[in-house]
Amino acid sequence: MAYEKFNILKSTAVPLPIENIDTDQIIPARFLKATERLGFGDNLFRDWRYSSDNNLNENFVLNNCIYDGKILIAGKNFGSGSSREHAAWAIYDYGFRCVISSFFADIFKNNCLNIGVLPLKVTQEDLDYILELVFENPSLEITVDLMNQKLIIPDKEFQRFFEINSFKKNNLMNGLDDIDYLKNMKDEIINFSNKIPF
Amino acid sequence: MGKTLFDKVWDKHVVRSIKDGPDVLFIDRHMVHEVTSPVAFRGLENRNLKVLFPKKTFATADHNTPTLNQHLPVKDPLSSKQLLALEKNAKKHKILYWGLGHKKNGIVHVIGPEHGITLPGTTIVCGDSHTSTHGAFGAIAFGIGTSEVEMVLSSQCVMQQKPKRMRIFIDGKLQKGVTPKDVALFIISKLSASGATGFFIEYSGEVFKDMSMEGRMTVCNLSIEMGARGGMIAPDEKTLEYIKDREFTPKGNAWKNAQKYWNSLYSDIDANFDKDISFDGSLIDPMITFGTNPGMGISISNKIPSSRDQSDNEKSYKRSLNYMNFNEGENMIGKKIDYVFLGSCTNGRIEDFRAFSKIVQGKKKADDVIAWLVPGSHKVRNSIKEEGLLDILNDAGFELREPGCSACLAMNEDKIPAGKYVISTSNRNFEGRQGPGSRTLLASPIAVAAAAITGKITDPRKYL
Ligand code: SF4
């Protein structure tokens, strides 16, 4: 999928300190009926954003106008459960480009990297600290420097290196996905297939 | 040094290893369903790409199909559009498609093994996290996202970082009334819902050796619920016996050649695992979940644990109990149930229906319980009829639906109403998973059967 190149992101953040947020919460199954990938942002965290009678749930952080930005900060084990890429689409479509957590589920992490959302893993201690800072000061600016793999909070002189493999990093920085790479391997793949018994 | 089962299969399928990046992994079998595929097919068209190996691609409709009156047109216009899209895409790209109403139709992870599409030593992917089910045959099988579906359609490869290896070893004999589902829920309760993230699991030991292929599928199916990429069990005689003579299983010389490869599929004695865990199988009890992730499980006769004993933070734990409207220290036995659900790729196979029928035989469904019995495939449904189970079920006041995912993910009309409790053989007890506001308790088919006749959570051992 074509997506906006990721280089340096400077933004405020939205705190969501709940653990084990699964992809059914990010986008409930009943919204997976579309045959296109756009528009899922409207139903991001649907059952937390709206009550069962479709009224806005004012207590939910996305409905709280103090918090805004392109970075979502979530509790550990974010994105567990169903493999639905719709969860990553919903996050992107809503306007987030980076999710910070202390732990991501594998499939969700891959899905994010394939569509231009950076899953940024920090230690539990750092996560708690950053959440605290954001609750204290919702207009706190956070910088994600992908090139140098650094998470920076300028006001607090906070700086952390984060891991990402160089292949995925290169993809994100150039707006590429794996298909762009695999397309060029076609002959090699066909040759390989002849060696495989099934 | 020796190799693990996982390494043997993985290494055989690596087309190219990218330095400080993922492996390009060749995929033998790609299963496709209506919900996670339309955007992938559209992507192919936008890039002007074709399906590289249509013969290695198999499509079915299951996630979003009705379980009543499948012969009538699908009412929900969006669902019907998705089904139509898959039908068209399959036709256009010459992919085998067992659509709604087809006699081989069913849940993707049930029909793969039924027709010999699932084979030992293969790599299998599908845009569904419970693809791990197929690991029961000694395959590397895992769920992928839609971008990856597009990748596999166009190149028959996925790019994956090789996971770490974990072995879960369980020796001993299971007690009476303890099923494969209980074994899996037990493991998840010990490791937590994220405890195996980054790992691929091999299950070994007497407990898994003794298990039927159906049971092994249930266990491997639930690997994802502790965050693992997948789980697998080394193929043995039981495995080969199961796959022999099925539609897509190799025959004649091809079978003999395949057997040579399959016989090499086990972890060498000196193979190294990144993590080794073992349990005593004789200590496992029938299990049930009480919270909103599958790691929140306990022995059915235990009390809901206190938040102090949890690895999740207190706030998340309490939030979860609050959603369920349960309190710390309460008994699970005796809690009232509104719905029962027997089905899904976890427990929707014939063995599960046999086990359920055995418990309810000669008894009656509790009046205030609504029961949805949904077979995993038409083949399962036919066996239920042929084996006389349908009569037993009907006599006890149960009806049988038509196959599909149904209330496992509640995408079709099979939704548990808000606030209601459902005891379910499926795999996820997330908030709203089985319908907005629904409350799920995961358990084995026999625990679900016992609750169906009493209307309450009941120790299934009473009815054995
Ligand atoms: S039965 Fe449930 S878990 Fe299995 S494939 Fe269908 S939706 Fe996924």
Side-chain angles (χ1 to χ4, degrees):
Chain A
M1 179 189 86
Y3 57 83
E4 219 178 292
K5 291 179 191 177
F6 196 118
N7 198 344
I8 289 189
L9 177 67
K10 289 185 185 189
S11 172
T12 50
V14 179
L16 186 57
I18 300 172
E19 297 187 341
N20 300 312
I21 297 179
D22 56 77
T23 53
D24 273 85
Q25 306 320 316
I26 300 174
I27 183 95
R30 59 188 192 280
F31 300 113
L32 308 184
K33 299 187 184 192
T35 45
E36 316 221 13
R37 77 194 312 158
L38 295 174
F40 287 98
D42 292 345
N43 293 315
L44 175 68
F45 297 118
R46 175 75 200 199
D47 292 338
W48 289 348
R49 257 161 93 189
Y50 297 90
S51 61
S52 50
D53 43 13
N54 274 330
N55 288 323
L56 223 53
N57 171 8
E58 313 246 331
N59 295 324
F60 187 60
V61 66
L62 291 195
N63 298 329
N64 183 343
C65 54
I66 324 177
Y67 299 106
D68 193 16
K70 295 186 172 183
I71 300 172
L72 177 69
I73 311 179
K76 82 163 189 233
N77 196 26
F78 187 73
S80 59
S82 157
S83 62
R84 59 188 71 163
E85 194 168 300
H86 311 67
W89 299 342
I91 284 174
Y92 185 93
D93 194 58
Y94 186 85
F96 292 118
R97 293 302 312 278
C98 173
V99 184
I100 299 177
S101 178
S102 56
F103 203 88
F104 292 96
D106 277 334
I107 303 181
F108 177 78
K109 186 168 79 186
N110 282 346
N111 288 342
C112 282
L113 289 166
N114 280 330
I115 66 148
V117 172
L118 174 68
L120 195 160
K121 190 177 161 192
V122 295
T123 63
Q124 187 62 42
E125 225 184 339
D126 283 347
L127 181 72
D128 294 340
Y129 176 64
I130 301 168
L131 280 167
E132 204 183 297
L133 291 180
V134 173
F135 279 120
E136 255 168 37
N137 173 16
S139 50
L140 182 83
E141 192 183 86
I142 298 178
T143 304
V144 178
D145 176 355
L146 180 57
M147 174 73 179
N148 295 305
Q149 298 176 226
K150 280 196 174 131
L151 171 69
I152 304 159
I153 304 176
D155 279 5
K156 298 283 164 188
E157 291 181 7
F158 173 95
Q159 197 168 352
R160 288 287 183 277
F161 181 81
F162 62 86
E163 295 287 343
I164 178 169
N165 77 51
S166 53
F167 179 82
K168 288 291 182 189
K169 175 171 151 185
N170 184 52
N171 271 359
L172 276 182
M173 292 187 61
N174 294 297
L176 297 173
D177 66 14
D178 294 354
I179 298 179
D180 298 308
Y181 184 91
L182 290 167
K183 261 196 316 209
N184 298 321
M185 282 184 62
K186 193 171 159 192
D187 294 339
E188 192 180 339
I189 293 170
I190 292 175
N191 277 337
F192 186 89
S193 75
N194 295 324
K195 293 193 298 189
I196 287 278
F198 305 108
Chain B
M1 192 171 48
K3 277 185 161 191
T4 65
L5 163 66
F6 171 75
D7 286 317
K8 287 179 184 177
V9 182
W10 181 280
D11 294 351
K12 200 180 176 66
H13 288 83
V14 175
V15 184
R16 188 191 276 184
S17 266
I18 299 167
K19 199 169 165 281
D20 191 25
D23 285 347
V24 178
L25 192 72
F26 189 82
I27 299 303
D28 296 315
R29 303 277 186 266
H30 183 197
M31 303 189 186
V32 171
H33 65 83
E34 78 278 23
V35 174
T36 54
S37 71
V39 172
F41 280 109
R42 191 176 287 240
L44 280 192
E45 269 150 43
N46 291 344
R47 296 185 206 231
N48 232 334
L49 294 170
K50 287 206 185 78
V51 176
L52 191 58
F53 288 99
K55 290 226 152 63
K56 294 184 189 290
T57 315
F58 303 83
T60 189
D62 55 1
H63 278 61
N64 200 0
T65 51
T67 53
L68 292 174
N69 297 319
Q70 289 188 346
H71 58 287
L72 298 177
V74 175
K75 274 191 238 145
D76 178 349
L78 290 173
S79 305
S80 142
K81 198 173 158 201
Q82 268 187 342
L83 292 172
L84 208 65
L86 182 55
E87 194 180 323
K88 268 204 210 138
N89 286 325
K91 202 179 257 166
K92 180 166 174 201
H93 295 278
K94 302 197 170 55
I95 295 167
L96 188 68
Y97 176 51
W98 295 337
L100 188 62
H102 191 287
K103 66 177 196 296
K104 295 177 196 165
N105 174 267
I107 303 173
V108 59
H109 311 310
V110 176
I111 62 175
E114 272 177 353
H115 296 282
I117 298 169
T118 306
L119 295 174
T122 54
T123 47
I124 302 175
V125 295
C126 172
D128 181 280
S129 56
H130 291 94
T131 309
S132 58
T133 314
H134 309 268
F137 294 80
I140 290 184
F142 55 89
I144 55 177
T146 297
S147 293
E148 292 167 317
V149 171
E150 188 181 338
M151 231 176 264
V152 183
L153 289 172
S154 62
S155 70
Q156 204 59 33
C157 290
V158 278
M159 302 184 73
Q160 295 282 310
Q161 204 83 36
K162 191 174 182 178
K164 288 181 280 185
R165 292 138 305 186
M166 179 190 289
R167 175 166 50 194
I168 297 180
F169 178 84
I170 309 187
D171 241 348
K173 292 270 175 234
L174 296 178
Q175 300 168 46
K176 219 169 161 222
V178 176
T179 71
K181 178 67 162 284
D182 301 304
V183 174
L185 288 176
F186 171 83
I187 300 170
I188 305 166
S189 76
K190 295 290 171 201
L191 269 74
S192 89
S194 59
T197 304
F199 288 91
F200 212 98
I201 299 170
E202 179 179 344
Y203 298 98
S204 72
E206 199 181 349
V207 161
F208 305 107
K209 269 247 156 294
D210 288 350
M211 250 179 218
S212 66
M213 287 314 294
E214 283 85 355
R216 293 178 188 180
M217 284 189 248
T218 301
V219 170
C220 289
N221 172 284
L222 288 163
S223 307
I224 179 77
E225 302 311 332
M226 43 188 157
R229 270 319 251 151
M232 66 200 299
I233 295 174
D236 57 12
E237 271 164 32
K238 241 183 238 176
T239 318
L240 300 200
E241 189 55 38
Y242 184 99
I243 58 174
K244 206 170 184 261
D245 298 327
R246 295 192 186 244
E247 186 178 350
F248 289 90
T249 307
K251 316 252 159 36
N253 265 341
W255 169 267
K256 279 190 198 134
N257 287 335
Q259 237 180 333
K260 268 184 227 149
Y261 169 50
W262 293 337
N263 287 337
S264 73
L265 298 178
Y266 52 84
S267 286
D268 297 327
I269 294 179
D270 54 344
N272 213 358
F273 288 84
D274 300 286
K275 205 166 184 180
D276 243 312
I277 295 176
S278 59
F279 298 108
D280 179 348
S282 65
L283 300 179
I284 302 174
D285 284 322
M287 299 284 294
I288 192 153
T289 65
F290 59 89
T292 57
N293 73 60
M296 300 174 83
I298 46 172
S299 299
I300 198 163
S301 49
N302 281 6
K303 292 182 179 6
I304 296 175
S306 137
S307 58
R308 282 191 309 269
D309 309 329
Q310 298 305 310
S311 62
D312 289 342
N313 75 22
E314 199 175 326
K315 213 168 140 204
S316 296
Y317 186 79
K318 291 206 158 133
R319 184 194 155 86
S320 188
L321 287 192
N322 188 33
Y323 180 85
M324 295 300 291
N325 200 19
F326 289 162
N327 295 304
E328 297 171 28
E330 279 175 0
N331 272 321
M332 289 306 286
I333 298 278
K335 283 196 180 296
K336 206 187 149 316
I337 289 300
D338 306 299
Y339 282 75
V340 302
F341 176 61
L342 174 66
S344 87
C345 60
T346 309
N347 284 123
R349 283 171 286 268
I350 186 64
E351 204 171 77
D352 304 313
F353 281 83
R354 284 185 199 132
F356 184 98
S357 304
K358 208 168 157 197
I359 301 269
V360 303
Q361 181 160 25
K363 307 195 179 60
K364 285 277 177 230
K365 177 180 80 62
D367 284 338
D368 47 358
V369 163
I370 297 175
W372 292 343
L373 276 47
V374 185
S377 68
H378 278 292
K379 200 166 165 167
V380 172
R381 193 167 190 263
N382 290 338
S383 304
I384 293 170
K385 289 186 191 163
E386 282 157 19
E387 294 184 14
L389 304 180
L390 185 58
D391 298 331
I392 298 176
L393 293 171
N394 288 160
D395 288 348
F398 296 93
E399 277 164 42
L400 188 65
R401 294 185 163 228
E402 289 166 296
C405 295
S406 179
C408 173
L409 90 164
M411 224 182 135
N412 68 357
E413 53 272 33
D414 305 346
K415 293 179 174 60
I416 309 296
K420 298 288 181 196
Y421 290 96
V422 55
I423 183 166
S424 172
T425 65
S426 60
N427 40 59
R428 287 186 174 139
N429 50 354
F430 299 154
E431 286 183 29
R433 166 79 178 186
Q434 299 198 272
S438 61
R439 293 168 171 151
T440 300
L441 308 158
L442 301 175
S444 74
I446 57 173
V448 169
I453 47 182
T454 58
K456 293 180 290 213
I457 296 181
T458 304
D459 192 324
R461 287 173 290 203
K462 270 195 176 162
Y463 287 93
L464 293 176

